[in-house]
Amino acid sequence: MKSNQYSGFHKLTAAQRAAEVIEFAGLSQEDAALLTRPEALKMEIADHMIENVIGTFQLPIGVAMNFLINGKEYVIPMVVEEASVVAAASNAAKMARAAGGFTTSYSGDVMIAQIQCINTANPHFARQTILAHKGELLDLANAKDPVLVKITGGARDIEVRVVDSGIGPMVVTHLLVDTGDAMGANAVNTMAEAVAPAIEKLTGGTVKLRILSNLADHRLARATATFTKEAIGGEDVADGVVAAYAFAAADPYRAATSNKGIMNGVDPVVVATGNDWRAIEAGVHAYCARSGRYTSLTRWEKDADGNLTGCIEMPAPVGLVGGATKIHPAAKACVKLLGVQHASELAQIIAAVGLAQNFAALRALATDGIQKGHMKLHARNLATVAGASAEQLDAVVAQMVVNKKISVEYAKEVLAGM
Ligand code: MEV
């Protein structure tokens, strides 16, 4: 496979798909085995990842096809349990190609560590005192991680806020640290702990929490795409997507669901690459509520020619060094499959997949409704549960869909009659 555009890819067997993808990414046989065989995560590794281990848990790895991001083709591994997600992302990516695919950007690998200081008599004065000693506080932080300082410059800046709270005003210092290709939780937490005594001395207050913020708004990944009206089924479809977006932008009940659809694309790539999906979830939802009202993570508009344009901007604190990304053998193989060298590239891919996933859901909702596609995939799952073999599957599913009887019982009935 030379290109990630492959007609009929879904009709291949899993082994044939794997062979094509392995050729595309130029993976070694060893890496290929980690992606295709169960038990990539051996017990001896799992036992050291978390506590009280009793076994391992598997999910499917699918690959999203057709993605063109900044002119580069990607085959994107997605680890997810929900049917339709991978197909929808691939389909959306295909439609985006008509206008050149996705264009992305990134604000930098900067994480925030928070240092909470309470019991200061004069918090605004304390704030300015901390800022006046920025240089020495940064030096204290950077002394903790000379290796990081060499690679990225380490702690770069300090911001200080006075936050009103139920126990009175608190002085909250943000340490801004360039964590490079690491997600950076350990690095920033260590630095926050290192500067805490100096902050107490400067302010006369008491430092309590010293911990990173998941609202990583100095680590934003952005993606845009234009979907030509011809590629998506006409200008009416573009209008439908814009109206669906307007609903999410205006109503938190809808925004939660629309954003869940975005995370259908985001999380599977985060999981596949061994990253912390709870961190991304927390950051994204906090970012969506930053105005004080929870809203849509994406924006959809029409351009002057009536084509649909979409944008996403999201905190994307993912890493390629440290954590499960370097420990989980299948995650390592997924990173190789993606061919990414830097966390920044991974973050931008994730944003593009989120945008694609949102487009696919909004387009389906604004046209046929979501159930049509879902039911077919659901029928496939149920027919498999009913015992349909690979050869029988298509015929059983077709009968289930035509007769609108999507149940295991009916699948068994069809099988019995074959
Ligand atoms: C289902 O997993 C996701 C959707 O509900 C997203 C949306 O409504 O936009 C279809």
Side-chain angles (χ1 to χ4, degrees):
M1 185 169 85
K2 291 209 164 43
S3 161
N4 70 355
Q5 286 182 286
Y6 192 111
S7 130
F9 188 75
H10 64 284
K11 292 191 185 137
L12 304 179
T13 64
Q16 288 168 332
R17 282 184 217 122
E20 297 291 349
V21 165
I22 287 157
E23 189 198 334
F24 173 85
L27 293 183
S28 68
Q29 286 309 311
E30 224 176 10
D31 289 326
L34 293 171
L35 291 174
T36 53
R37 291 195 204 135
E39 292 201 17
L41 181 60
K42 300 246 179 328
M43 267 306 277
E44 54 268 32
I45 299 176
D47 199 13
H48 291 108
M49 285 177 77
I50 63 166
E51 308 72 39
N52 299 349
V53 169
I54 57 164
T56 58
F57 182 97
Q58 291 181 27
L59 283 171
I61 307 174
V63 286
M65 306 292 282
N66 305 319
F67 272 86
L68 184 66
I69 305 174
N70 303 327
K72 181 173 168 187
E73 287 194 327
Y74 292 92
V75 168
I76 302 178
M78 299 179 81
V79 170
V80 66
E81 88 299 342
E82 184 173 337
S84 299
V85 165
V86 177
S90 303
N91 201 23
K94 193 174 183 178
M95 291 188 207
R97 277 183 101 113
F102 298 83
T103 304
T104 65
S105 66
Y106 188 61
S107 69
D109 300 308
V110 176
M111 292 298 285
I112 300 168
Q114 293 194 292
I115 301 125
Q116 174 205 26
C117 185
I118 62 170
N119 298 336
T120 47
N122 46 354
H124 291 279
F125 189 92
R127 173 180 175 271
Q128 294 219 2
T129 308
I130 295 170
L131 287 171
H133 290 79
K134 179 169 119 174
E136 66 200 67
L137 292 171
L138 290 177
D139 287 348
L140 281 171
N142 283 327
K144 282 282 162 193
D145 203 334
V147 176
L148 185 67
V149 174
K150 224 180 203 167
I151 301 171
T152 70
R156 284 194 181 161
D157 206 356
I158 277 175
E159 292 170 347
V160 190
R161 298 152 59 230
V162 177
V163 176
D164 282 327
S165 81
I167 57 162
M170 45 185 76
V171 183
V172 179
T173 303
H174 284 188
L175 203 52
L176 306 188
V177 185
D178 188 329
T179 61
D181 286 326
M183 189 274 194
N186 280 329
V188 303
N189 291 342
T190 305
M191 288 181 174
E193 291 184 7
V195 301
I199 287 179
E200 283 190 334
K201 221 164 162 190
L202 288 170
T203 61
T206 311
V207 166
K208 292 293 197 187
L209 270 55
R210 298 146 299 166
I211 185 74
L212 99 168
S213 171
N214 283 119
L215 178 48
D217 60 2
H218 288 273
R219 202 169 189 172
L220 299 173
R222 308 181 191 95
T224 62
T226 296
F227 294 85
T228 63
K229 50 183 187 277
E230 294 79 18
I232 63 175
E235 198 165 342
D236 281 357
V237 177
D239 287 331
V241 171
V242 171
Y245 154 67
F247 185 9
D251 177 17
Y253 285 89
R254 171 60 204 152
T257 320
S258 185
N259 291 340
K260 189 275 180 184
I262 296 170
M263 302 317 280
N264 275 349
V266 167
D267 286 341
V269 188
V270 175
V271 175
T273 55
N275 276 287
D276 180 345
W277 73 94
R278 289 89 55 215
I280 303 288
E281 284 278 347
V284 158
H285 296 294
Y287 195 64
C288 290
R290 69 194 182 283
S291 71
R293 187 172 59 80
Y294 186 80
T295 187
S296 170
L297 183 63
T298 53
R299 289 168 195 273
W300 294 96
E301 302 159 309
K302 280 198 315 179
D303 68 12
D305 300 319
N307 300 316
L308 180 69
T309 63
C311 311
I312 188 170
E313 181 179 74
M314 57 177 276
V318 289
L320 289 180
V321 296
T325 305
K326 271 282 176 274
I327 297 171
H328 195 303
K332 284 200 278 188
C334 282
V335 169
K336 286 189 187 158
L337 167 56
L338 268 175
V340 291
Q341 304 301 325
H342 293 289
S344 53
E345 189 180 354
L346 175 59
Q348 290 168 76
I349 291 170
I350 287 169
V353 178
L355 186 64
Q357 204 76 49
N358 187 221
F359 165 74
L362 298 190
R363 179 173 180 269
L365 288 165
T367 54
D368 290 337
I370 211 80
Q371 285 312 98
K372 197 174 163 192
H374 268 200
M375 274 307 142
K376 196 160 173 204
L377 284 157
H378 190 45
R380 277 187 95 75
N381 287 342
L382 296 184
T384 309
V385 172
S389 66
E391 295 76 43
Q392 293 168 317
L393 202 57
D394 282 345
V396 178
V397 169
Q399 207 161 321
M400 290 166 82
V401 171
V402 165
N403 294 328
K404 296 197 170 76
K405 289 185 181 172
I406 316 291
S407 68
V408 179
E409 291 68 36
Y410 185 63
K412 282 186 180 159
E413 212 180 301
V414 175
L415 277 168
M418 278 173 102

